[in-house]
Amino acid sequence: MPNRHGKPLRETLFVRMLPNLMTLAAICAGLTAIRLGFEAHYGPAVLLVLVAVVLDGLDGRVARMIGSDGELGAELDSLADFLNFGVAPPLVVYFWALQEMRVLSWIVVLIFALCCVVRLARFNVGNRAGTLPDDGNRIVGIPAPAGATLAMVPMFMAFAFTDRPILPDLAICVYLLLIAGLMVSRIPTLSLKGLPLARDNAVLLAAGFVLLAGAFFIFKWVTMIVLCGIYLATVLWAALSASRRHLTRKR
């Protein structure tokens, strides 16, 4: 039975459900990452968290493109973000290197998860109240997907160079606390979702994406280290700029 646009009803329903299906797929990826981390399959676990990051970046865009964004999708997305970015990454890191510290490292895992859920709740409240920054190119604090990716940098380093933890357990705990703090910080950071994509730059963007994809498939862990390093540099630059502006206003 066709709808008013001439498309079969089943096809229309599937297309409108696609963003939610992507979110549910991301949840499955996050849960499976936890299981693989528990079973000591750390490489696939990390890759599944990265799959969840990619799906999180796509589901909202797809929903807006086809006009199917709604309250259900927003709730699913928020719940998926907490599981995939607040629970799965610190647990995978814990299974990988922190079990010997037990109490201290588990407290760090809890703090990371709590900071992530506070960040998500703050974002949801600001989004509903319309108090988020008007500039679409920046947000306050690092987003949950970025925090999840950055949390696994010690694993990227180990997979790229030695296949075993490079940093001491205590240093990994301190690093996770730093990333958790950045998620709930007030530092204005770059938002990739808000960057305008001009048609004149489409060829350059496509070429850059192909090069990045090629680098990832050939040197995936080194590529992730470089990307995370660049992102952390932008966060540091934003923090220094905000500090200078604050000092200038005081004067």
Side-chain angles (χ1 to χ4, degrees):
M1 177 180 175
N3 65 356
R4 60 177 181 166
H5 299 293
K7 294 182 179 180
L9 185 58
R10 291 181 180 177
E11 179 182 345
T12 303
L13 289 175
F14 175 77
V15 170
R16 295 187 65 82
M17 289 174 58
L18 184 58
N20 290 343
L21 292 175
M22 294 172 67
T23 304
L24 293 175
I27 292 174
C28 293
L31 285 171
T32 307
I34 295 173
R35 176 195 165 187
L36 291 176
F38 180 75
E39 295 175 349
H41 302 302
Y42 303 118
V46 170
L47 289 176
L48 281 177
V49 174
L50 295 179
V51 167
V53 170
V54 173
L55 289 174
D56 177 74
L58 292 177
D59 58 5
R61 289 184 179 273
V62 172
R64 288 187 290 272
M65 286 173 57
I66 64 178
S68 66
D69 48 332
E71 293 185 5
L72 176 62
E75 292 299 326
L76 279 176
D77 191 62
S78 184
L79 294 171
D81 285 353
F82 175 58
L83 170 67
N84 296 332
F85 310 136
V87 177
L91 277 181
V92 171
V93 175
Y94 174 81
F95 292 139
W96 172 65
L98 301 179
Q99 293 191 66
E100 292 184 2
M101 297 186 69
R102 294 192 178 277
V103 176
L104 177 61
S105 60
W106 186 247
I107 291 174
V108 171
V109 170
L110 294 178
I111 292 174
F112 189 96
L114 292 174
C115 287
C116 182
V117 77
V118 168
R119 191 222 150 51
L120 293 170
R122 191 174 69 187
F123 176 85
N124 291 341
V125 171
N127 191 35
R128 290 169 185 153
T131 57
L132 294 178
D134 294 332
D135 184 2
N137 293 338
R138 64 183 176 86
I139 53 178
V140 176
I142 64 174
T149 305
L150 291 173
M152 298 185 296
V153 165
M155 301 185 75
F156 300 157
M157 295 169 60
F159 296 161
F161 303 116
T162 66
D163 214 18
R164 65 182 62 183
I166 296 176
L167 300 175
D169 295 354
L170 184 59
I172 295 175
C173 289
V174 172
Y175 175 76
L176 288 178
L177 291 175
L178 173 64
I179 300 303
L182 287 175
M183 282 195 289
V184 294
S185 71
R186 294 290 179 177
I187 299 172
T189 57
L190 181 68
S191 173
L192 297 179
K193 293 182 179 180
L195 293 178
L197 301 178
R199 291 186 178 181
D200 297 340
N201 299 327
V203 176
L204 291 176
L205 289 171
F209 176 79
V210 171
L211 288 174
L212 182 61
F216 178 81
F217 283 112
I218 299 174
F219 308 105
K220 55 180 174 289
W221 305 124
V222 174
T223 301
M224 292 306 303
I225 293 170
V226 172
L227 291 177
C228 290
I230 293 172
Y231 182 77
L232 279 175
T234 65
V235 173
L236 178 60
W237 177 81
L240 293 175
S241 299
S243 178
R244 282 197 295 267
R245 287 195 299 269
H246 181 68
L247 290 176
T248 302
R249 282 197 297 267
K250 277 190 172 182
R251 292 176 184 174

